[in-house]
Amino acid sequence: MVDRCIVNASGCIKLQKGSADMKRKWWQNKIAYQIYPKSFQDTNGDGIGDIPGIIKRLDYLQELGIGILWISPVYVSPCADQGYDIADYYAIDPMFGTMADMEELLKEADKRNIKIVMDLVVNHCSDEHEWFRKACEDPEGEYGKYFYFAKKENGKLPCNWRSYFGGSVWEPLAGTDWYYFHSFHKKQPDLNWENPKVREEVYKMMNWWLEKGLGGYRVDAIINIKKPLPFQDYPADRTDGLCDMSEVLKHAYGIGDFLGEMRDETFHKYDAFAVGEVFNEKEEELKDFMGENGYFSTIFDFSQTNAGKSPKGWYDNRIPTVDEYKQCCFNSQRKAKGIGMYSNIIENHDEPRGVSY
């Protein structure tokens, strides 16, 4: 049995011991640290942290005992959502450096027995990605099938789902009667994972990075790749007549077909580490997500960050009691006992500082 820690800016949190029957993996005794490059070290004086700045701090990070560095997105992006809207999966945004810098980071980190983990954002891409630009030219063509396009029928959109960023998930395509689907920002059109060509392109890209020596991925918003199709309305929960995505996810089944395929086509081939940003998972599926042959090495436990949250929105949240917070931790560890290992978190790039509570 092993202990493991996930570290972020707030410190180190010890995770549950794994099952005695679990096969020991290389990552289980590693300490992981998230770096948000834009606010890390700036080496060229432009006010933006960069990849050379990370390289300069590798000795220090090694001294701290860090074994995994999770790097928030450094791909080319218009940054409508701070880099989680990727316009080119194969290129480094010039604000962060060059591909040569990234390759040097991988090499220098490896010398210090540190694995680099990159954010993988494949529920959606940027509306400036080549695929979406081509799709907009012909929504019924090859690239249109990379996304979800629809028209109103009898004046009605295909479903009443609310985007995580607010408003309808359906955005009008300027100058046409077409609408496209986005779970998040309107500049982040969802990829159609039902299309095998999309999955093939995603796996090819993932393996391209793994071939470069990448240690693995933190997989963003991956639970959203499976939509309950055909699109339909669910009961509205606010005066806007829309339905929260948490309700939508309750009706989505079959995501394992996609995630198992991704695991076999990518992670397993390279013995890569993969941590899933999995929320609203169904309890009976926990073993599938992070068990001995799970889709991921581990998944984040969001119970602490969800404590005190209100279905009415962030403005109605309350500060959880100490006992509520404690029970979040204990209940999660009981749930994971004998199955796998949760990654416990206090904060990340989506959350306020832990000391703010």
Side-chain angles (χ1 to χ4, degrees):
M1 297 193 292
V2 294
D3 286 329
R4 184 169 57 91
C5 293
I6 291 292
V7 178
N8 56 22
S10 65
C12 173
I13 307 169
K14 186 172 288 188
L15 301 192
Q16 168 187 324
K17 289 180 180 291
S19 165
D21 297 327
M22 288 180 66
K23 182 181 177 183
R24 184 184 292 268
K25 307 292 177 62
W26 65 264
W27 49 266
Q28 285 177 317
N29 64 348
K30 297 284 188 182
I31 295 174
Y33 190 89
Q34 180 185 7
I35 286 179
Y36 190 72
K38 188 177 284 189
S39 60
F40 204 67
Q41 181 167 354
D42 169 23
T43 61
N44 60 5
D46 64 356
I48 299 173
D50 46 45
I51 295 171
I54 301 173
I55 296 170
K56 287 191 67 171
R57 295 299 176 182
L58 285 175
D59 286 339
Y60 173 65
L61 291 164
Q62 181 186 34
E63 185 180 336
L64 289 178
I66 305 302
I68 295 174
L69 279 180
W70 160 21
I71 310 296
S72 293
V74 290
Y75 314 93
V76 168
S77 168
C79 285
D81 186 23
Q82 295 301 328
Y84 287 84
D85 48 321
I86 299 171
D88 189 343
Y89 290 99
Y90 292 93
I92 299 297
D93 197 297
M95 79 170 81
F96 297 121
T98 65
M99 185 60 73
D101 292 330
M102 188 67 198
E103 290 169 346
E104 183 181 359
L105 173 60
L106 292 170
K107 182 176 68 175
E108 292 299 320
D110 187 63
K111 289 179 183 177
R112 295 162 176 82
N113 198 29
I114 296 173
K115 292 291 187 180
I116 301 298
V117 167
M118 293 179 74
D119 255 302
L120 179 68
V121 191
V122 288
N123 173 70
H124 48 264
C125 63
S126 167
D127 65 348
E128 297 184 24
H129 194 287
E130 180 184 19
W131 295 341
F132 193 69
R133 292 203 307 268
K134 290 181 176 179
C136 291
E137 294 171 3
D138 182 9
E140 295 182 287
E142 176 186 0
Y143 285 95
K145 294 180 176 62
Y146 276 43
F147 303 91
Y148 296 94
F149 283 92
K151 295 181 180 181
K152 284 185 175 181
E153 290 189 15
N154 300 319
K156 186 178 181 302
L157 292 168
C159 63
N160 69 335
W161 306 349
R162 183 186 302 109
S163 160
Y164 290 105
F165 279 53
S168 172
V169 294
W170 294 101
E171 185 71 16
L173 187 62
T176 75
D177 55 356
W178 287 99
Y179 289 75
Y180 68 89
F181 181 99
H182 60 95
S183 296
F184 294 86
H185 194 284
K186 66 181 181 180
K187 284 182 66 63
Q188 294 171 303
D190 279 38
L191 290 165
N192 178 8
W193 273 70
E194 304 290 340
N195 183 345
K197 181 62 176 175
V198 169
R199 304 199 302 273
E200 180 184 332
E201 289 287 349
V202 168
Y203 305 153
K204 182 176 73 172
M205 174 271 295
M206 292 170 65
N207 289 335
W208 185 82
W209 280 104
L210 292 168
E211 284 285 347
K212 283 183 174 291
L214 192 70
Y217 293 99
R218 176 265 185 183
V219 191
D220 179 79
I222 197 63
I223 199 75
N224 292 99
I225 64 175
K226 185 65 178 178
K227 278 71 173 172
L229 300 175
F231 293 114
Q232 59 186 292
D233 287 351
Y234 296 110
D237 51 39
R238 296 186 197 172
T239 56
D240 60 6
L242 301 177
C243 171
D244 191 80
M245 287 298 293
S246 62
E247 177 63 27
V248 174
L249 291 173
K250 293 178 184 177
H251 301 271
Y253 291 90
I255 192 173
D257 293 339
F258 297 155
L259 297 183
E261 181 182 73
M262 180 171 68
R263 173 199 61 205
D264 295 341
E265 293 296 323
T266 61
F267 308 141
H268 275 195
K269 289 182 177 181
Y270 296 87
D271 192 24
F273 172 72
V275 54
E277 186 193 22
V278 177
F279 40 84
N280 298 92
E281 75 275 9
K282 299 171 178 64
E283 189 166 343
E284 67 271 16
E285 296 177 339
L286 190 60
K287 183 177 181 180
D288 298 328
F289 278 97
M290 66 174 192
E292 184 69 18
N293 192 41
Y295 309 134
F296 305 104
S297 309
T298 178
I299 64 175
F300 290 118
D301 174 24
F302 287 104
S303 59
Q304 294 99 316
T305 57
N306 287 333
K309 285 191 174 180
S310 167
K312 296 180 181 178
W314 62 268
Y315 56 87
D316 195 49
N317 290 352
R318 60 176 179 80
I319 298 175
T321 67
V322 172
D323 189 62
E324 285 174 328
Y325 192 86
K326 179 179 72 174
Q327 288 307 313
C328 284
C329 301
F330 289 0
N331 291 340
S332 293
Q333 299 307 318
R334 291 188 191 103
K335 188 165 66 172
K337 183 179 180 181
I339 294 176
M341 300 172 69
Y342 266 128
S343 289
N344 294 4
I345 62 170
I346 294 176
E347 63 193 29
N348 63 13
H349 57 276
D350 288 324
E351 302 293 338
R353 292 288 192 186
V355 294
S356 300
Y357 290 106

